[in-house]
């Protein structure tokens, strides 16, 4: 009598089970790559080199193809992101309407560059070539919420608000009497 169960990943990381489940659901078809990458990103929070290699091996795809697909889509990241994430569209319409000013203001105020996370791990800023909402330019996405016709001041205000809310719910260090 045989039992059917997922074999634990050699690293012992149980999160690989979710990735394995997705690959199994799509019968390890090469065309399922995008779906598998989505699951991996949702499960791990980012796509590490080891994870990309694992996916390539399991789907019997060249690593360069897996990497090529992962780098094509803005939703995939290759380093852990902060607790809160902002994406600024840099497509033509957004660029013309001031996306660069939004990016510059956030980078200056948060002391980070595009693609980086603040030292406290609370905030990450990334860009996307196009978010497909040109009529709302400039477009940003903050923690999954699309914001159209954004301004540098408005975006900074929203970022400060979400970080302040996060700090309010974090345990505060005890102060000596």
């Amino acid at each position: 009598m045989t039992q059917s169960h997922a074999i634990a990943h050699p690293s012992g990381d149980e999160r690989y089970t979710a990735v394995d489940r997705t690959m199994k659901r799509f019968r390890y078809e090469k065309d399922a790559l995008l779906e598998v990458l989505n699951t991996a990103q949702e499960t791990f929070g980012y796509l590490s080199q080891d994870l990309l290699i694992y996916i390539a091996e399991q789907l019997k795809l060249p690593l360069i193809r897996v990497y090529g697909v992962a780098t094509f889509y803005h939703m995939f990241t290759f380093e852990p992101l902060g607790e809160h994430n902002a994406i600024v569209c840099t497509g033509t319409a957004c660029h013309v309407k001031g996306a660069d000013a939004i990016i510059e203001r956030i980078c200056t105020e948060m002391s980070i560059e595009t693609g980086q996370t603040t030292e406290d791990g609370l905030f990450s800023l990334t860009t996307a070539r196009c978010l497909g909402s040109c009529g709302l330019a400039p477009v940003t996405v903050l923690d999954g919420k699309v914001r159209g016709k954004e301004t540098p001041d408005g975006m900074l205000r929203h970022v400060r608000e979400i970080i302040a809310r996060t700090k309010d719910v974090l345990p505060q260090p005890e102060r000596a009497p």
Side-chain angles (χ1 to χ4, degrees):
M1 187 164 133
T2 62
Q3 285 186 304
S4 173
H5 59 77
I7 298 171
H9 187 266
S11 71
D13 190 332
E14 293 293 324
R15 295 176 295 178
Y16 279 90
T17 305
V19 177
D20 291 339
R21 212 175 303 124
T22 299
M23 288 188 285
K24 184 177 180 180
R25 186 174 73 229
F26 288 97
R27 297 182 184 100
Y28 295 87
E29 290 291 330
K30 292 168 179 37
D31 292 343
L33 176 58
L34 195 55
E35 194 67 39
V36 172
L37 289 171
N38 252 337
T39 299
Q41 174 80 29
E42 289 174 8
T43 305
F44 286 81
Y46 70 104
L47 303 175
S48 68
Q49 183 176 349
D50 288 344
L51 186 53
L52 292 173
I53 291 168
Y54 179 76
I55 291 168
E57 288 173 351
Q58 295 301 307
L59 295 180
K60 295 179 178 35
L61 287 168
L63 179 58
I64 192 70
R65 179 164 173 211
V66 174
Y67 184 75
V69 170
T71 57
F72 180 78
Y73 293 97
H74 79 274
M75 65 220 176
F76 298 124
T77 59
F78 303 98
E79 293 180 17
L81 293 175
E83 189 170 333
H84 301 285
N85 301 290
I87 303 168
V88 179
C89 181
T90 58
T92 303
C94 290
H95 173 74
V96 168
K97 297 272 188 157
D100 289 346
I102 295 170
I103 293 167
E104 184 178 323
R105 183 72 185 275
I106 298 298
C107 286
T108 299
E109 293 292 325
M110 303 305 290
S111 300
I112 58 173
E113 295 295 320
T114 303
Q116 292 183 336
T117 300
T118 56
E119 285 185 23
D120 59 10
L122 287 179
F123 179 77
S124 296
L125 176 66
T126 58
T127 60
R129 289 177 282 243
C130 184
L131 295 174
S133 298
C134 302
L136 298 175
V139 177
T140 64
V141 179
L142 184 57
D143 285 349
K145 183 178 179 187
V146 176
R147 298 181 178 282
K149 301 186 184 210
E150 192 60 89
T151 65
D153 288 342
M155 184 64 175
L156 184 59
R157 185 178 66 252
H158 295 305
V159 169
R160 286 181 175 158
E161 287 171 1
I162 64 163
I163 290 174
R165 280 195 304 268
T166 299
K167 288 182 176 180
D168 286 345
V169 297
L170 292 176
Q172 299 299 317
E174 291 186 29
R175 296 188 178 150

